[in-house]
Amino acid sequence: MNKWIGKGRLARDPEVRYTQSGKAVASFTIACNRQVKKGSDGKQTADFISCVAWEGIAQTVNNYLTKGREVLVEGRLQTRSYEAKDGSKRYVTEVIVSNLEFCGKREDAAPMVGQNTGSFSYNGGRSDTPPEIGDEDIPF
């Protein structure tokens, strides 16, 4: 069985690209805290996990995730290789995301805008003041 589940914060803003056929692919890295052994100097450590999301999940990542956002990622590990510019062979291990859930407090979530129609879209944080949103308009 090849299944990986991890919770962490985005280490940087995700990068979204499109294949020649138009499929969205998002690359991002999450920082997962690692348990520190008792008796150690008490410093917190983290592992940085590379993740790749495709199509619908990639669009969600693009619309709602930014550096520092806490997420729960589920997927499978994949190792691939490529030839670097210097001719050496490089190996990459990454999580291919099959499920992604937002974590953290509600106020940590990206601002949303919407109408009573039930349709919502991310405003990208670019407006000065988001419009008033009633509790009946919030999808979660």
Side-chain angles (χ1 to χ4, degrees), residues 13-120:
D13 287 342
E15 296 176 24
V16 179
R17 293 182 295 279
Y18 294 87
T19 65
Q20 290 180 348
S21 63
K23 290 183 180 180
V25 58
S27 300
F28 59 97
T29 301
I30 61 171
C32 298
N33 290 336
R34 186 184 319 159
Q35 294 292 327
V36 180
K37 293 181 182 178
K38 291 184 180 180
S40 67
D41 57 5
K43 291 184 179 178
Q44 189 75 3
T45 60
D47 293 310
F48 293 86
I49 310 298
S50 297
C51 301
V52 177
W54 289 87
E55 300 185 70
I57 297 174
Q59 292 294 347
T60 299
V61 166
N62 185 42
N63 291 337
Y64 299 106
L65 297 184
T66 56
K67 178 181 176 178
R69 181 66 197 260
E70 189 176 26
V71 293
L72 179 72
V73 174
E74 180 181 349
R76 63 180 170 82
L77 286 178
Q78 176 177 287
T79 302
R80 59 181 172 86
S81 63
Y82 65 95
E83 191 172 307
K85 291 180 182 179
D86 64 1
S88 63
K89 194 169 189 175
R90 303 280 172 96
Y91 292 91
V92 177
T93 301
E94 53 203 3
V95 175
I96 307 301
V97 179
S98 60
N99 189 24
L100 179 122
E101 294 186 23
F102 302 132
C103 300
K105 298 177 184 173
R106 189 177 198 170
E107 37 297 343
D108 292 341
M112 304 279 289
V113 295
Q115 300 171 349
N116 291 334
T117 61
S119 63
F120 292 86

